[in-house]
Amino acid sequence: MGLQLTRDEEDSFRVFYGLEHDRQVRRAALLLGSEVVAHDVVHDAMVEVLRRWSSLEQPGGYLHRAVLNGCRDAARRVEVTNRSLHRLAPVGSAAGEPDVLDDVLAELPFNHRAAVVLRYYLAMPTSEIAAVLGCAPGSVGVWIDRALKRMKEALT
Amino acid sequence: VTDIETLLTDHLRQRADAVVVHDDLDSVLAELVTPHRHSDRRPRRGAVSWAAAAVVVVGIGAVAVLVGRMDGAEPPAASVPTTDMATVAPTTVPVRSLQPSSVTVFPVLNNVGETYASFAVPNHAPRSRMVIGSQIDDDWRDTYLVAALNDPAGDAPPGGELVDVDGVQVTRSDYGGMTLWFWAIGDVGIQVVTAPNSDPPPVTAISARKVSETDPPEITVGKLPAGQVVLAGPSGGTDAPYPTVATNDRRISVEVRDDEPENVLLPGDYEAVDINGDPGRVSTRLAAGGTIVAWTHQGHTVVLHTETTEPDVAVDLARRVDFVDRATWDATYEQATTDQPTPSTAPATSTVTVAAPAPTPVQLLRDMSQVPEGSADAAACEVLTDEAQRVAVAADPYGGSGYEWWTAPTRGGGRADLVTQLAADGQSANGGSGGAGCAPAPNQDIEWNGGGGNGPPRPAVQHGGHVNVRAASVVITFPGQEPVQVPINADGYFLTVLPEDPSGPYSHPERIDALDNAGNIVATVHL
């Protein structure tokens, strides 16, 4: 059963995809530690957006949440199967610090890691992070503080 | 901290820049767009096929627990009474019954292969009821079922909206195809049940006073609107039998009342029906949809509401309701997983098999323990789902099955929270959001947990929290918008879902005030 899209609708989705896909994959990769899984999550989220393309008034916001939820589910599946997170290949200098940060990030619970990424990669304020994650703003601060403390300990 | 923040920001940007992004636009389009352009849709990865096997139904003042599909006939491995239903409040579901590792079945049922439902009658609180309305010919119209409650804070329905009726702040909620109006008069709560879309009750004509802590409060009626009279005087509470019924994924609720059957509110026209020799009534004229059947059983009035709009189906369900005694109700049997030959008749005791259990809120809570094994926090972050409880509920502004807020402690003394939207079956969790704190959080007068929700086409923003001071409601103030008042339940929790987009101002309240019964601000939090 196919989805009937007009040529204009398909064209507009192509534009939307071009604007959003790249950064969503990068964000998902930071959340998941795996480029492969990140592509899968964003792919599925894009499919859901396309499925609702004719009715979504704010597809960007919908995609944002769909990717985050998809990352959460993916992280859960990884946890359930007791697989360790794939770490991204080191970039830039050969210094050891990035690896240590990767280790700490990979060990954080999903919501904690998401809070860190949303704060320090997307520069979102606490209230927005709490809204996106569906948690109390106070929790966001606690999670981030705990993560920073771990990183400092790991670096010293 | 600044140094580590800078380092982390740079690190994340480097990592993000290093990601090699592969464009898969054609693959996305191929999944959905018409076959003449693209190929068939590929299977979803990691998708889990859940089938509903257990359903929770929240009826009018009742908690209903549905249990699993009966496949086998093995006697129970153990009989473990687990839940005193008399102590079950509408907002505390016996969690054990919701988990697939332990389900409850009642041996009186013999329709093998269907889903078994049992319905608690939890509210034995002393109360009094009366019916007021107008009598036309031999029929009653525009009736109100009035109940006086001893504990306004404890008996107030969760969620709902505050409306002004005759200058009185009344909470209006929609339940089971009816509308509940609730307000407090001093230390007595007044609850009125009306047909949907009915006018608000004449609150200034109804008063109540508490006689004692244990006896039902007294209701008095002053000057009623023209044509309205007291149709049935106050009646007290009593024990009731426990109804059970076999059904297949149909959302139903059953309540046993101590009213006379003719006092049961049936909006509009109804038809007289026979329920296993007992006189009954059936009506499909419910604005919220569904069908309601009321009949007598052993001197009690039984009210069944179901989402079906076919009266014959509802009446058939009513005829299939079996009643069990307290001991049977309390009995619990461990789940068996082996398939056994189907018995020709119902055994004295039964074993159930739960097939493909739906993801319940408790399961989602359990999944919040996401700390990798071996991590220092793994033990502290473990969610203790045996202690999980539903602390608040809220209506779906779009008429869905509603929202529930579940909490469970974590082993480290923290708390896991989950706000979930119920699926159409009224029980399984249609997704949810939340988080788990591994360590105890500092006490605050007002804890807020909200702002998340769903985007278009049915935007919804959730706001919930807990108030640690004695208060009756909270007022949530949003920048540039009208404040929203939300009642607080007996345990201090509040939850509401607004039909607003979470990307707008309703996601970010600027302050929350807690008000006492008199409307005085007793606590404030600035967000």
Side-chain angles (χ1 to χ4, degrees):
Chain A
M1 188 74 182
L3 173 72
Q4 292 287 349
L5 285 182
T6 65
R7 174 59 64 185
D8 286 345
E9 286 174 332
E10 183 171 327
D11 288 346
S12 63
F13 178 78
R14 287 177 179 275
V15 172
F16 171 80
Y17 182 96
L19 290 171
E20 292 285 350
H21 180 259
D22 190 282
R23 65 176 176 176
Q24 294 291 348
V25 169
R26 295 183 194 280
R27 186 185 62 148
L30 290 178
L31 290 172
L32 293 167
S34 165
E35 293 185 22
V36 174
V37 181
H39 275 90
D40 278 354
V41 166
V42 175
H43 173 97
D44 286 349
M46 281 290 185
V47 169
E48 293 306 311
V49 170
L50 177 60
R51 192 193 306 278
R52 297 164 176 79
W53 187 246
S54 302
S55 60
L56 287 177
E57 293 180 6
Q58 295 179 330
Y62 185 92
L63 177 68
H64 191 73
R65 286 186 292 277
V67 169
L68 190 64
N69 289 334
C71 288
R72 182 182 284 114
D73 291 343
R76 183 178 302 149
R77 285 197 295 274
V78 169
E79 175 68 19
V80 167
T81 55
N82 199 26
R83 285 177 290 163
S84 59
L85 292 170
H86 301 289
R87 212 181 304 158
L88 296 171
V91 180
S93 72
E97 291 172 350
D99 284 339
V100 172
L101 296 182
D102 285 337
D103 285 340
V104 175
L105 280 171
E107 289 177 356
L108 293 175
F110 178 80
N111 273 352
H112 299 205
R113 188 164 64 249
V116 169
V117 170
L118 295 175
R119 164 66 56 82
Y120 294 106
Y121 177 59
L122 296 182
M124 289 173 64
T126 298
S127 57
E128 273 190 60
I129 296 172
V132 168
L133 296 179
C135 63
S139 298
V140 173
V142 170
W143 296 342
I144 290 176
D145 288 345
R146 189 176 300 162
L148 293 180
K149 185 179 176 185
R150 278 198 199 180
M151 289 175 185
K152 288 184 72 174
E153 291 171 352
L155 287 170
T156 51
Chain B
V1 171
T2 303
D3 291 343
I4 188 67
E5 286 181 321
T6 303
L7 186 64
L8 179 58
T9 301
D10 292 343
H11 173 73
L12 290 173
R13 286 177 181 165
Q14 280 187 344
R15 286 289 179 261
D17 291 343
V19 173
V20 180
V21 180
H22 303 288
D23 185 306
D24 69 343
L25 174 60
D26 289 338
S27 174
V28 170
L29 291 169
E31 290 215 17
L32 291 177
V33 177
T34 50
H36 72 271
R37 290 182 184 170
H38 301 287
S39 62
D40 292 335
R41 185 185 177 212
R42 68 184 171 92
R44 286 181 60 84
R45 292 169 300 281
V48 178
S49 175
W50 297 100
V55 180
V56 177
V57 174
V58 179
I60 306 169
V63 171
V65 180
L66 305 191
V67 292
R69 181 167 65 89
M70 178 184 237
D71 283 334
E74 280 288 299
S79 177
V80 185
T82 58
T83 305
D84 179 1
M85 299 310 294
T87 65
V88 176
T91 56
T92 53
V93 175
V95 171
R96 184 180 299 229
S97 298
L98 302 177
Q99 297 178 336
S101 59
S102 175
V103 293
T104 306
V105 70
F106 301 94
V108 295
L109 303 175
N110 58 6
N111 292 320
V112 175
E114 292 188 286
T115 300
Y116 282 75
S118 57
F119 300 94
V121 185
N123 197 341
H124 291 263
R127 60 169 61 194
S128 57
R129 294 191 180 99
M130 69 166 64
V131 175
I132 61 176
S134 55
Q135 193 162 8
I136 303 173
D137 298 328
D138 291 328
D139 203 358
W140 293 346
R141 305 290 185 189
D142 303 320
T143 50
Y144 303 101
L145 179 63
V146 184
L149 311 170
N150 263 332
D151 179 10
D155 290 315
E161 60 172 340
L162 275 178
V163 296
D164 184 283
V165 179
D166 300 334
V168 178
Q169 291 294 301
V170 179
T171 301
R172 179 188 185 281
S173 309
D174 292 316
Y175 282 107
M178 296 182 180
T179 298
L180 269 63
W181 311 79
F182 185 91
W183 68 99
I185 302 174
D187 52 2
V188 176
I190 293 290
Q191 179 175 276
V192 176
V193 183
T194 71
N197 297 327
S198 294
D199 291 334
V203 296
T204 55
I206 303 170
S207 60
R209 71 185 182 98
K210 185 177 286 187
V211 181
S212 73
E213 290 300 322
T214 55
D215 294 329
E218 287 183 354
I219 306 177
T220 56
V221 176
K223 185 179 181 182
L224 288 168
Q228 291 198 334
V229 295
V230 176
L231 298 170
S235 60
T238 181
D239 287 336
Y242 296 84
T244 65
V245 67
T247 181
N248 276 326
D249 293 336
R250 185 177 294 112
R251 189 182 175 208
I252 65 174
S253 64
V254 181
E255 183 188 16
V256 176
R257 301 180 182 179
D258 51 4
D259 303 298
E260 294 299 317
E262 56 269 25
N263 289 3
V264 173
L265 186 71
L266 288 188
D269 297 332
Y270 57 83
E271 294 180 13
V273 293
D274 177 277
I275 306 296
N276 302 329
D278 292 325
R281 300 170 166 189
V282 59
S283 173
T284 57
R285 297 192 56 174
L286 310 176
T291 302
I292 194 165
V293 183
W295 74 99
T296 56
H297 176 76
Q298 295 179 350
H300 300 283
T301 298
V302 187
V303 181
L304 179 148
H305 176 260
T306 170
E307 286 188 344
T308 180
T309 56
E310 300 177 31
D312 291 345
V313 174
V315 169
D316 179 60
L317 273 174
R319 287 171 178 159
R320 290 162 52 195
V321 169
D322 285 308
F323 293 87
V324 300
D325 58 19
R326 174 63 172 274
T328 305
W329 174 267
D330 285 345
T332 302
Y333 306 92
E334 294 301 316
Q335 171 191 350
T337 55
T338 55
D339 292 332
Q340 298 293 329
T342 301
S344 56
T345 57
T349 55
S350 305
T351 301
V352 294
T353 299
V354 175
T360 65
V362 173
Q363 289 171 302
L364 294 182
L365 270 175
R366 184 168 48 221
D367 288 343
M368 286 184 179
S369 301
Q370 293 186 16
V371 180
E373 288 184 12
S375 171
D377 274 346
C381 297
E382 179 189 353
V383 179
L384 307 177
T385 52
D386 281 346
E387 298 176 49
Q389 61 175 335
R390 186 181 58 181
V391 295
V393 299
D396 184 341
Y398 301 101
S401 297
Y403 290 74
E404 293 182 345
W405 177 6
W406 288 75
T407 70
T410 57
R411 193 166 296 283
R415 193 180 75 193
D417 295 296
L418 170 76
V419 175
T420 181
Q421 184 177 15
L422 295 179
D425 62 11
Q427 175 266 346
S428 56
N430 188 12
S433 60
C438 307
N443 282 331
Q444 299 172 311
D445 286 348
I446 302 175
E447 299 173 18
W448 171 68
N449 187 342
N454 305 318
R458 290 188 165 184
V461 178
Q462 307 156 9
H463 289 288
H466 185 255
V467 178
N468 289 312
V469 296
R470 189 173 179 84
S473 64
V474 293
V475 173
I476 308 173
T477 303
F478 305 93
Q481 308 296 329
E482 284 291 319
V484 174
Q485 191 164 10
V486 184
I488 301 171
N489 68 21
D491 296 322
Y493 290 90
F494 62 92
L495 178 65
T496 187
V497 179
L498 307 175
E500 304 291 344
D501 194 301
S503 63
Y506 282 95
S507 185
H508 309 292
E510 54 190 12
R511 63 179 287 169
I512 298 177
D513 298 305
L515 310 182
D516 63 15
N517 272 325
N520 302 313
I521 295 177
V522 294
T524 296
V525 60
H526 296 274
L527 302 170

